[in-house]
Amino acid sequence: MPYDPKEPLKDRITDIGPRHYGEFLPPVIKNNKGKWLYHEIPQPGVLVHVAESGEKIFSVRVGGCRLMSVEHLKEICDIADKYCDGYLRFTTRNNIEFLVQDESKLKPLIDDLKSRKFEGGSNKFPIGGTGAGVTNIVHTQGWAHCHTPAIDASGVVKAVMDGIYDQFGSMKLPAPVRVSLACCLNMCGAVHCSDIAILGIHRKPPMVDSEWIDKLCELPLAIAACPTGAIKPAKTADGKKSLEVNAERCMFCGNCYTMCAAMPLADEVGSGIAILVGGKLSNRMTKPKFSKVVIPFIPNEPPRWPTTVAAVKNILDVYSKDARKYERLGDWAERIGWERFFEKTNIPFTHHLIDDYRFAYTTWRQSTQFKF
Amino acid sequence: MGKRNTPMLDELEKGPWPSFVSDIKQQAEKGKHILKEAPADLLGVMELSYVDKVTHWKHGGIVGVFGYGGGIIGRYCDQPQAFPGVAHFHTVRVNQPSSKFYTTKFLRSLCELWEKHGSGLTNMHGSTGDIVFLGTTTDHLEPLFFEMTHELNQDLGGSGSNLRTPECCLGQSRCEFACYDTQEACDNLTHEYQDELHRPAFPYKFKFKFDGCPNGCVASIARSDMSFIGTWRDDIRIDQAAVKAYVGGEFAPNAGAYSGRDWGKFDIQKEVIDRCPTNCMSWDGSKLEINNRECVRCMHCLNVMPRALRKGLDTGASILFGAKAPILEGAQMSTLTVPFIKMESPFDEAKELVEKVWDWWMEEGKNRERLGELIQRKSFQEFLRVCELDPDPRMVDEPRSNPYIFWKEEEVEGGWTRDIDAFRAKHQR
Ligand code: HEM
Ligand code: HEM
Ligand code: SF4
Ligand code: SF4
Ligand code: SF4
Ligand code: SF4
């Protein structure tokens, strides 16, 4: 009974929700759910979980591109059929986990994964992303699919992951480092709480497409959308209703463009990358915290974004050498002091790094305790 | 058949990390997807963005399936003549199963569906958690939805001003730290609130996320309006023999997560006792003791010695509200509101709270005002009244330091109305 375009509402099914997860759990997991005793990471990218019953499940974690084709997915299925009785999962950070119930299949799986390469030469299934290393970079759509980005996403991630590839397949850092990328301030993804965040920002106020704006947008909505009240009604010389932006008050958030397509702000030289560091989500030892801006702007440099890659590598290297075991990047920066952070990483401190938005005061220093 | 010239993107085929460019090319060449030109044209339009350094996607128009206000996001290219294969390139959000476990059988059926109705390109997964089918045309939406529901018994996710697709960590399915069944909670609430997921009625988006413990693997504290974070209220269970095995070097600390570097011999004093944020642990050389009343359940000691220490048995979740990304008012993390509730199916207590909060937000929230912003505007006190919760020192890091307290008239003896003449009888002007 296929879809009948003449009767689109016939036999319609709605609101059935997702399939039940129970259908997709490997038997070992189903049998031991809620009864796991402990886990170990025998080698980077490989986890073993041991249940109270003594049963074990092995997981081999491999990096994946979030933008993934059906051809690639089918290859993943072939591998899971061969070694994993047809079971696999994806992690929050777009890694793929092959779930192995039969230990004798573990090594053949690993060898197989290592052998597969794309025609262009890159690895299809790099193994890693566990423990005190970097895992896959969570990211957003960028130039592949979104209307508001200041930067690309997939391309920047590819370039950065190539640059820090060694940290994906090893566990040599003082603590886990989560790198995230969002291509605009909407931040689809939690880059505002990442150890290292790569964030697309705009630096030019929106243009107003006065010819069209009254036809495309509800003007009061666009006015109300501006967090700083920078937008007010205006009329063109020939009497059309339009809007005007007070550029001095604009902080380039792009919210007006989100509400109104006739106010584009992306620009070849205006848009680029800011780097934030020191955020975390877990409650381990210290509380979750926001990432802080340490590099206010890096130009868009397609196709390989060399300045951004170098900046991420530099921060990782200095942190790796200087921090203590278990110390997250932000905890390290706070222990040594931000003045030392800039000194050690050799990043220039500019006026752009001093907060001037609401609540800024809480980030200024109200003490004479500082380091020379 | 568009094999595009993409010298800039081709640079991204180099290097060890998997190349999405190579992958899209393989789909363009070998894929069985119906929208034949789409992958090659996507590379083409991206190449143009690499040259122009600006996106070539337009604002989404309104597209969707009958009766749903969410789940599909319209997307159009601003160079349709040059790239007809992606002139219309809508996103379909498919509601992922809890924790993203799959059988290859199901995954293959999704692939087949997407070959039949789209570009063959996906996001596995989008940031919100959905399976994202990347790129199709309007005429494919109804047939795709029909087949997905009839043949795969599977529904769309959410988008727009509604409940976004809830997401959870893998929880009890494979993690010894999980304090409740995140998968069941996520699945149950997703099914309960299908109407809110598919028919926008809110001021703006609303997200539930479920973390099984304070390690926070799905980042609920930073990116959900309502975060459920597993916790326990009784004592950490200690296996003293296993503690000794860590001290003696038989077990790798932190499950081996730090094995890539020589950090020296494991030192329980330095690495655990002294690192406990509340200093509530002690080790006398043979016995580990924890003053559990002082423990804030930060997870550090459990992470370091998973074979020796286990969470308590009286488990549930803390509920926090109001996280969001910077837009509009600035980034917020979730605020602890309910220190502890039991999380057992059918989660009635949690649902009761959800509905109180939604009623308030729908009544008071302005267009595009996230819950966290409303709580700031109206005050946390008012939010507690809405939730019918008593104030508790657990909800704040510290009490207020400014004394500008908004007393209410009924809180002050004798009310606010006084007689100026009676006052003047005693006090000259
Ligand atoms: C030894 C203890 C830990 C274990 C067993 C563990 C386990 C896991 C697992 C199984 C995932 C994948 C979850 C999913 O995809 O849904 C994950 C992801 C994650 N974990 Fe942990 N975790 C631990 C400690 C931590 C700590 C200490 C932090 C933060 C400081 C942390 C932060 C994260 C984050 C942000 C993710 C995101 C996802 C990813 O990489 O896939 N975890 N963790
Ligand atoms: C019409 C405007 C918007 C569109 C078209 C849009 C589009 C999207 C898309 C496509 C995603 C999924 C991202 C992915 O995984 O690929 C997403 C998620 C997200 N969006 Fe937006 N977005 C819009 C506005 C906003 C705004 C204004 C905010 C900030 C308040 C925002 C914050 C987020 C966040 C935080 C996520 C990720 C959520 C998560 O990780 O669960 N978005 N958005
Ligand atoms: S972060 Fe911004 S530009 Fe990137 S996908 Fe989200 S809304 Fe689009
Ligand atoms: S970009 Fe943001 S601050 Fe600037 S005018 Fe638009 S809404 Fe206002
Ligand atoms: S949040 Fe806690 S329970 Fe969930 S996967 Fe992470 S460590 Fe395990
Ligand atoms: S969980 Fe954290 S606070 Fe509690 S005893 Fe362990 S280290 Fe200390």
Side-chain angles (χ1 to χ4, degrees):
Chain A
M1 168 201 56
Y3 173 72
D4 179 1
K6 287 192 218 85
E7 284 193 88
L9 294 181
K10 187 158 172 266
D11 299 325
R12 199 169 183 76
I13 300 176
T14 62
D15 298 297
I16 52 176
R19 288 274 282 264
H20 192 260
Y21 57 88
E23 299 174 47
F24 306 127
L25 301 178
V28 171
I29 284 195
K30 211 172 230 174
N31 297 342
N32 297 287
K33 186 166 166 175
K35 298 189 199 112
W36 295 101
L37 205 50
Y38 68 92
H39 74 285
E40 277 172 357
I41 311 174
Q43 68 188 75
V46 179
L47 303 158
V48 54
H49 285 78
V50 183
E52 288 167 7
S53 65
E55 285 190 289
K56 291 179 184 174
I57 182 120
F58 293 85
S59 310
V60 181
R61 188 178 291 178
V62 305
C65 298
R66 173 178 121 136
L67 206 175
M68 202 175 281
S69 77
V70 159
E71 286 301 302
H72 191 57
L73 278 170
K74 289 195 286 191
E75 185 170 344
I76 291 169
C77 287
D78 291 342
I79 298 170
D81 280 338
K82 190 157 170 201
Y83 304 99
C84 309
D85 310 313
Y87 294 99
L88 71 150
R89 71 177 285 271
F90 292 82
T91 74
T92 319
R93 302 188 78 91
N94 311 316
N95 295 305
I96 303 138
E97 284 184 345
F98 292 100
L99 304 168
V100 184
Q101 306 183 84
D102 173 357
E103 190 169 355
S104 71
K105 294 192 176 154
L106 189 61
K107 188 164 178 320
L109 167 65
I110 292 171
D111 293 341
D112 187 343
L113 291 170
K114 284 185 180 161
S115 73
R116 292 178 191 242
K117 298 217 188 307
F118 281 110
E119 249 172 61
S122 63
N123 293 302
K124 277 186 173 165
F125 302 109
I127 299 171
T130 50
V134 292
T135 185
N136 205 343
I137 301 183
V138 278
H139 65 94
T140 47
Q141 302 286 19
W143 294 337
H145 205 60
C146 192
H147 61 293
T148 62
I151 58 173
D152 188 28
S154 321
V156 185
V157 166
K158 161 73 176 148
V160 172
M161 284 309 284
D162 280 343
I164 59 176
Y165 185 72
D166 184 39
Q167 306 291 3
F168 177 80
S170 63
M171 304 189 286
K172 297 183 296 196
L173 293 171
V177 173
R178 306 294 184 197
V179 187
S180 312
L181 178 147
C183 29
C184 87
L185 301 193
N186 276 341
M187 287 194 193
C188 311
V191 313
H192 57 302
C193 296
S194 309
D195 296 276
I196 302 179
I198 304 166
L199 176 64
I201 60 165
H202 301 289
R203 296 185 305 167
K204 295 193 183 187
M207 298 174 275
V208 178
D209 190 350
S210 288
E211 240 356 89
W212 282 93
I213 193 161
D214 193 30
K215 291 190 198 80
L216 289 175
C217 312
E218 300 213 25
L219 303 186
L221 276 185
I223 293 170
C226 180
T228 66
I231 306 175
K232 61 177 188 193
K235 270 214 169 96
T236 61
D238 56 349
K240 284 197 193 72
K241 274 200 217 158
S242 181
L243 297 174
E244 192 174 279
V245 176
N246 177 350
E248 306 268 280
R249 292 178 78 162
C250 178
M251 53 164 179
F252 321 105
C253 69
N255 202 42
C256 50
Y257 179 60
T258 298
M259 295 308 291
C260 171
M263 299 184 74
L265 72 171
D267 184 82
E268 177 176 1
V269 293
S271 308
I273 287 173
I275 303 279
L276 293 79
V277 306
K280 72 195 270 283
L281 297 158
S282 96
N283 288 274
R284 187 172 185 176
M285 292 191 278
T286 56
K287 292 175 189 168
K289 46 189 151 224
F290 289 126
S291 322
K292 287 100 187 148
V293 182
V294 296
I295 303 179
F297 188 77
I298 300 173
N300 259 324
E301 297 171 325
R304 302 266 342 166
W305 282 271
T307 313
T308 301
V309 176
V312 172
K313 274 175 91 161
N314 171 44
I315 293 166
L316 256 186
D317 283 349
V318 178
Y319 158 73
S320 181
K321 287 197 193 93
D322 205 65
R324 297 176 182 162
K325 190 178 180 188
Y326 303 123
E327 200 168 46
R328 291 287 289 260
L329 205 154
D331 295 333
W332 163 70
E334 284 170 14
R335 176 172 60 81
I336 63 173
W338 286 99
E339 59 270 55
R340 288 285 179 272
F341 171 88
F342 286 97
E343 196 178 291
K344 289 189 177 191
T345 54
N346 213 8
I347 297 173
F349 187 87
T350 71
H351 72 276
H352 291 300
L353 303 180
I354 297 177
D355 195 354
D356 51 5
Y357 191 59
R358 264 170 252 167
F359 316 121
Y361 161 83
T362 56
T363 63
W364 306 336
R365 187 170 323 233
Q366 279 93 42
S367 126
T368 56
Q369 297 184 0
F370 60 87
K371 294 179 184 174
F372 283 110
Chain B
M1 175 101 200
K3 193 157 188 270
R4 299 262 171 192
N5 186 24
T6 55
M8 299 262 262
L9 286 180
D10 294 351
E11 289 296 313
L12 290 170
E13 295 200 81
K14 298 173 183 160
W17 187 252
S19 169
F20 69 100
V21 176
S22 301
D23 186 17
I24 298 174
K25 283 187 179 175
Q26 93 176 354
Q27 185 70 30
E29 281 154 27
K30 289 187 273 181
K32 299 191 179 65
H33 51 283
I34 191 146
L35 301 176
K36 270 297 155 215
E37 314 288 331
D41 276 3
L42 176 63
L43 288 176
V45 75
M46 277 189 84
E47 178 77 13
L48 187 63
S49 282
Y50 271 54
V51 175
D52 292 346
K53 302 185 192 175
V54 178
T55 189
H56 281 287
W57 298 103
K58 292 204 273 192
H59 249 277
I62 307 283
V63 291
V65 297
F66 259 116
Y68 276 23
I72 315 249
I73 299 159
R75 189 63 80 224
Y76 303 90
C77 179
D78 71 5
Q79 296 291 321
Q81 295 82 0
F83 306 103
V86 293
H88 299 213
F89 203 60
H90 311 322
T91 307
V92 181
R93 287 189 180 166
V94 181
N95 196 338
Q96 81 288 358
S98 283
S99 320
K100 311 186 185 90
F101 281 91
Y102 295 95
T103 55
T104 50
K105 182 164 175 276
F106 181 59
L107 206 50
R108 284 182 202 278
S109 66
L110 284 173
C111 289
E112 229 170 88
L113 182 68
W114 191 229
E115 281 171 339
K116 216 169 136 191
H117 290 295
S119 69
L121 301 175
T122 75
N123 287 152
M124 295 299 282
H125 298 69
S127 308
T128 304
D130 311 78
I131 303 157
V132 173
F133 285 169
L134 212 57
T136 191
T137 52
T138 309
D139 54 320
H140 277 285
L141 297 175
E142 285 296 339
L144 177 135
F145 178 69
F146 189 92
E147 284 163 39
M148 193 184 347
T149 48
H150 282 77
E151 285 158 34
L152 304 190
N153 188 23
Q154 167 69 46
D155 207 340
L156 297 178
S159 66
S161 289
N162 56 7
L163 177 64
R164 296 299 175 86
T165 312
E167 191 185 13
C168 62
C169 77
L170 49 65
Q172 295 181 337
S173 70
R174 205 197 60 197
C175 185
E176 65 269 31
F177 300 136
C179 297
Y180 69 95
D181 189 345
T182 54
Q183 292 184 302
E184 184 55 27
C186 184
D187 190 74
N188 186 305
L189 268 74
T190 305
H191 279 97
E192 175 85 21
Y193 296 118
Q194 283 295 302
D195 200 30
E196 284 75 8
L197 200 68
H198 291 134
R199 284 160 211 96
F202 292 156
Y204 198 18
K205 65 175 84 162
F206 196 95
K207 294 176 178 174
F208 297 138
K209 291 194 196 290
F210 303 87
D211 275 315
C213 83
N215 276 334
C217 295
V218 289
S220 69
I221 203 165
R223 49 181 203 142
S224 52
D225 301 83
M226 187 171 184
S227 325
F228 296 79
I229 304 181
T231 195
W232 64 94
R233 353 174 231 207
D234 54 347
D235 295 352
I236 292 175
R237 288 171 284 164
I238 308 177
D239 175 344
Q240 298 289 353
V243 176
K244 286 196 188 115
Y246 279 104
V247 174
E250 287 157 54
F251 296 160
N254 222 96
Y258 291 78
S259 60
R261 199 199 281 194
D262 183 8
W263 290 98
K265 189 177 169 323
F266 175 62
D267 179 342
I268 191 171
Q269 184 66 36
K270 206 168 113 223
E271 295 188 37
V272 183
I273 310 297
D274 296 347
R275 294 290 178 108
C276 169
T278 61
N279 290 313
C280 66
M281 312 179 85
S282 62
W283 166 251
D284 65 4
S286 66
K287 190 161 181 244
L288 179 72
E289 274 183 277
I290 301 178
N291 179 356
N292 280 282
R293 249 185 87 73
E294 303 310 314
C295 167
V296 290
R297 299 165 316 285
C298 81
M299 300 299 296
H300 175 61
C301 60
L302 290 90
N303 287 341
V304 175
M305 303 191 289
R307 299 181 71 160
L309 301 180
R310 301 180 73 188
K311 64 184 163 48
L313 292 166
D314 182 12
T315 57
S318 302
I319 300 183
L320 298 82
F321 286 97
K324 54 179 287 293
I327 284 178
L328 300 167
E329 289 288 319
Q332 276 176 235
M333 264 190 256
S334 284
T335 300
L336 180 71
T337 307
V338 183
F340 187 89
I341 68 168
K342 279 288 186 191
M343 284 291 281
E344 275 148 21
S345 194
F347 310 102
D348 288 334
E349 209 181 328
K351 287 176 192 166
E352 225 174 275
L353 187 60
V354 168
E355 283 156 35
K356 279 182 210 160
V357 170
W358 280 352
D359 283 348
W360 180 64
W361 180 50
M362 289 199 280
E363 174 91 23
E364 300 283 345
K366 295 194 259 191
N367 182 34
R368 278 170 61 78
E369 187 174 45
R370 289 284 284 269
L371 178 69
E373 287 157 334
L374 178 64
I375 297 172
Q376 279 219 31
R377 181 161 67 81
K378 288 291 200 179
S379 86
F380 194 61
Q381 284 93 326
E382 178 156 346
F383 184 59
L384 292 182
R385 281 194 291 278
V386 168
C387 298
E388 298 174 61
L389 291 169
D390 292 328
D392 185 316
R394 289 169 191 86
M395 295 164 181
V396 293
D397 271 341
E398 57 183 36
R400 68 193 301 153
S401 52
N402 76 67
Y404 301 139
I405 303 168
F406 288 94
W407 294 99
K408 288 206 163 30
E409 183 169 12
E410 62 271 21
E411 292 173 328
V412 183
E413 296 77 2
W416 285 350
T417 338
R418 285 168 293 159
D419 182 356
I420 186 73
D421 295 331
F423 179 80
R424 282 293 164 226
K426 286 193 188 171
H427 304 274
Q428 296 176 17
R429 204 160 282 138

